[in-house]
């Protein structure tokens, strides 16, 4: 890394040029930079560019020294952004679940390819580069949620770069991340839910839908269930695994059951409802020992893919003339049923395995009639003091 840098102006080909003399130990390297200021224009304009360039180089030298003291790789300062993205992923390999890791890899691979072309060095990244990348995603007609996710991931990665001394400030923080409009909840009434459950009698989807509506399980948690997760003696169901889709080096995909959960709060225990117990016993009898311990298996004998549940439910609803919802919306139905029947939001949060109460607020779609009930309580309070 550069230990000392000096610079001066020279006239060449009708323009002022900066000549930087960078010292590396006993060696020295000259670098020519065109200022864009023509000879004849005020010289102080070129001098201002020279001072700014030297200031930045001295800051980079201090930053490199600090990074080295902290045990980091100072060479990443002058490396393309994608190099830092790769190192960041390496440091997060064991902290992220398989699904999140693969998602971040895809996002940072695409972002790195674009940003490397317009910012050849990590330290050159600025808000305009990030804004340009998000605009590219919009030009490619990416969904607003996708653009937002790319912006959030870049902000987190570059915030880490600031904390480790590679950047003085986070350029992604200066770029507004597009916000999604609140998704209109088109929840089902109890009559429609009853029709769904009646239509699923004896269907392979009966147990997965039951688990989502009664226990609020995620698709990955349902597909991650194994027979050893059931305590038949004490009638308990343990949620401690997650099914994720992973990709091999040849590009082929497969489902693996992992004990890495989405959040720490995702690990939870439920009493077995009598109907749940009966459905599980029926499935175990139908399996006759197949599936290598997994409760939900695909035709190839491997654990079922989480996205397969959504596709099968969508097909079932279409065939039976029922309103379309996502499989994940069954979790919303569970949260709403609990909240409508008087459960505290903190209780719903623990039941669903949410790490944040803010997430639970988005799941519990309270009945509008609740406002009338609360208003009657307020009326009684006003009468008591009036």
């Amino acid at each position: 890394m550069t230990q000392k840098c000096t610079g001066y102006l020279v006239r060449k080909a009708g323009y002022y040029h900066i000549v930087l003399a960078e010292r590396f130990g006993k060696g020295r390297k000259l670098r020519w930079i065109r200022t864009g200021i023509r000879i004849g224009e005020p010289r102080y304009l070129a001098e201002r560019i020279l001072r700014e360039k030297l200031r930045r180089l001295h800051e980079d030298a201090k930053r490199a020294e600090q990074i080295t003291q902290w045990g980091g790789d100072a060479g990443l300062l002058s490396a393309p952004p994608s190099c830092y993205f790769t190192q960041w992923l390496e440091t997060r390999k064991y902290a992220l679940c398989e699904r999140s890791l693969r998602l971040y890899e895809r996002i940072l691979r695409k972002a790195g390819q674009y940003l490397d072309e317009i910012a050849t060095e990590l330290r050159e990244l600025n808000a305009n580069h990030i804004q340009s990348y998000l605009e590219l995603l919009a030009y490619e007609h990416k969904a607003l949620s996708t653009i937002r996710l790319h912006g959030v991931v870049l902000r987190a990665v570059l915030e880490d770069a600031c904390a480790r001394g590679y950047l003085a400030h986070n350029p992604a923080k200066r770029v507004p991340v597009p916000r999604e409009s609140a998704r209109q909840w088109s929840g089902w009434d109890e009559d429609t839910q009853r029709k769904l459950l009646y239509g699923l009698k004896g269907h392979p989807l009966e147990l997965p839908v039951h688990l989502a509506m009664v226990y609020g399980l995620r698709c990955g948690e349902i597909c991650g269930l194994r027979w050893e997760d059931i305590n038949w003696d004490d009638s308990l169901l343990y949620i401690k695994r997650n099914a994720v889709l992973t990709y091999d080096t040849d590009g082929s995909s497969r489902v693996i059951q992992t004990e890495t959960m989405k959040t720490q709060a995702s690990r939870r225990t439920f009493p077995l409802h009598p109907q749940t117990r009966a459905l599980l016993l029926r499935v175990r009898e139908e399996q006759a020992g197949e599936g290598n311990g997994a409760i939900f298996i695909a035709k190839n004998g491997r654990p079922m893919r989480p996205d397969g549940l959504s596709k099968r439910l969508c097909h079932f609803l279409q065939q039976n003339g029922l309103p379309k919802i996502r499989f994940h919306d069954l979790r919303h139905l569970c949260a709403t049923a609990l909240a409508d029947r008087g459960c505290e939001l903190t209780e719903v949060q623990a039941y669903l395995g949410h790490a944040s109460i803010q997430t639970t607020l988005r799941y519990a779609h309270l009945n509008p009639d609740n406002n009338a009930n609360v208003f009657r309580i307020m009326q009684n309070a006003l009468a008591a003091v009036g």
Side-chain angles (χ1 to χ4, degrees), residues 11-278:
R11 301 182 180 193
K12 182 180 178 182
Y15 287 89
Y16 285 107
H17 287 70
I18 294 173
V19 178
L20 295 177
E22 300 174 277
R23 295 187 180 278
F24 298 86
K26 296 181 179 180
R28 191 177 75 150
K29 177 183 176 182
L30 295 180
R31 195 150 57 104
W32 287 68
I33 301 173
R34 182 172 169 175
T35 64
I37 306 299
R38 293 179 179 275
I39 296 173
E41 294 184 60
R43 181 185 170 90
Y44 73 84
L45 295 176
E47 291 173 342
R48 184 185 298 169
I49 296 173
L50 171 61
R51 286 195 299 271
E52 177 63 21
K53 180 66 69 173
L54 289 173
R55 183 188 66 80
R56 290 186 59 185
L57 286 171
H58 291 153
E59 285 182 357
D60 288 343
K62 289 181 181 178
R63 191 172 293 121
E65 185 178 353
Q66 185 181 54
I67 291 170
T68 304
Q69 289 174 353
W70 290 351
D73 181 6
L76 287 174
L77 276 172
S78 55
S82 60
C83 292
Y84 184 81
F85 296 166
T86 301
Q87 190 194 71
W88 184 87
L89 285 167
E90 279 294 317
T91 62
R92 296 298 187 275
K93 185 182 293 184
Y94 302 106
L96 296 170
C97 68
E98 182 80 13
R99 183 181 177 184
S100 297
L101 183 63
R102 298 297 171 230
L103 176 63
Y104 289 1
E105 282 178 348
R106 291 198 299 273
I107 289 174
L108 294 176
R109 187 184 307 119
K110 183 176 180 65
Q113 289 172 352
Y114 178 80
L115 294 174
D116 284 357
E117 294 181 3
I118 57 177
T120 56
E121 297 181 358
L122 175 65
R123 57 190 170 191
E124 293 179 355
L125 267 183
N126 60 48
N128 290 332
H129 298 146
I130 307 299
Q131 180 69 49
S132 175
Y133 173 66
L134 297 183
E135 288 173 356
L136 170 70
L137 297 178
Y139 179 77
E140 293 176 348
H141 304 291
K142 300 294 184 184
L144 190 61
S145 58
T146 300
I147 299 173
R148 175 173 172 76
L149 181 60
H150 280 244
V152 168
V153 170
L154 281 174
R155 183 176 293 184
V157 174
L158 296 178
E159 189 64 31
D160 179 79
C162 292
R164 296 170 64 187
Y166 290 98
L167 294 174
H169 58 81
N170 186 346
K173 268 189 175 180
R174 303 183 179 187
V175 179
V177 177
R179 291 191 173 275
E180 295 180 85
S181 56
R183 182 173 174 268
Q184 188 64 35
W185 168 243
S186 54
W188 288 358
D189 54 30
E190 292 184 356
D191 185 52
T192 308
Q193 295 178 46
R194 205 174 291 114
K195 287 180 181 178
L196 170 66
L197 295 175
Y198 180 79
L200 284 172
K201 293 289 184 182
H203 193 279
L205 280 174
E206 183 178 9
L207 179 55
V209 169
H210 172 88
L211 291 171
M213 293 183 68
V214 174
Y215 298 108
L217 300 190
R218 302 175 177 94
C219 288
E221 292 170 346
I222 293 173
C223 295
L225 284 172
R226 299 181 63 81
W227 292 114
E228 62 199 75
D229 299 333
I230 301 170
N231 184 332
W232 298 103
D233 295 332
D234 297 329
S235 289
L236 294 174
L237 173 64
Y238 301 111
I239 309 302
K240 55 184 181 181
R241 288 186 179 83
N242 196 24
V244 295
L245 192 64
T246 185
Y247 293 88
D248 296 325
T249 53
D250 60 358
S252 60
S253 63
R254 58 190 173 91
V255 175
I256 60 171
Q257 291 178 318
T258 172
E259 293 191 7
T260 303
M261 304 295 285
K262 184 171 183 179
T263 68
Q264 190 60 38
S266 298
R267 300 179 183 277
R268 50 209 196 277
T269 303
F270 296 106
L272 270 184
H273 188 277
Q275 186 181 355
T276 311
R277 186 186 183 96

